[in-house]
Each structure stands twice: as structure tokens, then as C-alpha cells.
Amino acid sequence: MKRLFVITGILLLTACGGGGGGGSAAPANLSSGNNNNGGNTGGNNGGNNGGNTGELKTGIFSDAPVAGLGFAQGSHQGVTDANGTFTYYSGSSQPVLFRIGAVELGSAMGADVVTPVDLSIEGKPVGRDGAVNMARVLITLDTDQNPDNGIALPDSVLAAGGNLPFTLNTQAFTEEGAVDRFMQKYAEGRSLVSSAVARDHLRAHAQFHAAT
């Protein structure tokens, strides 16, 4: 009888001991603190790394930091927070795609800081005009119209779809009907800021050096 009690106790201890490890916690969703993301933080930004490898790191998307910008690296995705923070897997061969709602800006490999100048579309760098046009759209969408304190995208852009031809020259981009319709719908009717304003803004934030 005593031997039976001892064996039973060992079995109970063995069963309890397996619960302590439980696996590591999923990475925190750094996008969830942004009140401009309409509650959408891309539910895969954590436990499912979509085949990505390496360490989960943070970077900042900056044309002044942009809040409310979607990002995705495979199925790992989310929305940038008030500091422009996104997350990415450093060991992944997949670039990080940035988008306004479903409107793609372009992609770049994950890094501490990513700017419009760093982006590529279909493997081709966006170039000078592309970076300026992206900055024009982001600045125009800024909710408080003061990009020097950061850019916050409105909640409404989460529903945006389609494509904008960012790599057109700046004059053609200004005259593009799709751009005008996008601004009318998501920028409260504000006109697209000029290329000169966007260029000065990029230079002021020291992010235009690679394109000039």
C-alpha cells in the first residue's frame, strides 16, 4: 500500500511539472496603442510569423513618423503606432510592405528607420518623384495638418483601396484623376500639397539625401 502511494505521488508531480513551461508568449502587438488604427492591428502581428525567421524587431516609418500606416511581412502584419513603429523579423528574406489602407506605397527590407526614399514598387526603387509624391499624400492626409509633429492618418483610410501611381512625375501625379478622387474622399476635400512643400519637409527631416 505504501508503494502504491509513492507511485501515485510521483505520477501527480510529473503531470503538474509539465505546465510551467507553456511556451514563450507571443510578441506584443506594438500597433495596438495607436488610436488612429480603427481597432485594426492586423491580427497576425504576433503568434503567427508567417514563415518569417529571426528576431522580432521594431522599426520606424518616417516622413516624420507616420501613425496609422499598414505594414505586412508575409502574414505578419499590423498598423504603425503614434511613433510610426512597425515590427519585422530580422532574419526574413521577405521585405516589409507599407500601405494606406489597401493602397500600397511600396516595400523595403526591415530596418531601424524606413522612409519613402527607401521603398521599391515591383522591385524598382520609387526614385525622387515617387518619394515626393508619397510625402505629398501623407502630409495632405495628416489629421492636424502639422506634419512637423508627426503624421497621423485618419481612421477612414483603413477602408481605402485601389492604386495610386506614385512613380509618375510630380506634375502628372497632380493631374491624375485617381489622386484627386482619393484626396476628395479621404482628405476631407483638401487639395494635394505641392511637391515643393513635400520636398522641403523631407529635407527638413533629413530623409531626402538618397534621392537628391
Side-chain angles (χ1 to χ4, degrees):
M1 183 66 71
K2 182 180 293 186
R3 181 177 297 176
L4 179 60
F5 287 157
V6 171
I7 292 172
T8 302
I10 290 172
L11 291 173
L12 287 172
L13 287 172
T14 302
C16 293
S24 59
N29 187 340
L30 297 179
S31 306
S32 60
N34 174 27
N35 59 12
N36 292 307
N37 64 16
N40 177 9
T41 55
N44 294 316
N45 188 17
N48 179 5
N49 65 10
N52 292 312
T53 60
E55 182 183 355
L56 185 66
K57 292 189 173 183
T58 62
I60 294 174
F61 188 92
S62 183
D63 162 26
V66 180
L69 191 67
F71 65 88
Q73 187 185 39
S75 62
H76 172 78
Q77 55 187 302
V79 177
T80 56
D81 66 12
N83 298 313
T85 302
F86 65 94
T87 56
Y88 67 97
Y89 283 90
S90 61
S92 177
S93 60
Q94 298 186 84
V96 181
L97 172 68
F98 296 93
R99 56 197 178 202
I100 302 171
V103 178
E104 297 183 1
L105 294 180
S107 58
M109 297 307 295
D112 291 342
V113 177
V114 174
T115 77
V117 172
D118 301 317
L119 298 181
S120 294
I121 297 176
E122 296 181 349
K124 297 180 180 179
V126 298
R128 174 193 177 98
D129 285 346
V132 170
N133 288 333
M134 290 176 191
R136 297 172 72 188
V137 170
L138 293 170
I139 292 170
T140 307
L141 289 172
D142 184 25
T143 54
D144 72 355
Q145 287 297 281
N146 181 14
D148 290 335
N149 66 5
I151 294 173
L153 302 181
D155 292 343
S156 60
V157 298
L158 289 171
N163 296 289
L164 294 180
F166 291 108
T167 55
L168 292 177
N169 67 61
T170 55
Q171 183 59 39
F173 190 76
T174 301
E175 297 170 354
E176 172 62 40
V179 175
D180 182 63
R181 290 189 295 273
F182 183 89
M183 292 294 105
Q184 291 295 322
K185 187 170 184 178
Y186 298 110
E188 300 181 351
R190 291 187 294 270
S191 297
L192 187 68
V193 301
S194 70
S195 56
V197 168
R199 198 174 289 117
D200 288 346
H201 178 74
L202 287 166
R203 287 196 180 110
H205 288 81
Q207 292 155 10
F208 203 54
H209 60 280
T212 55

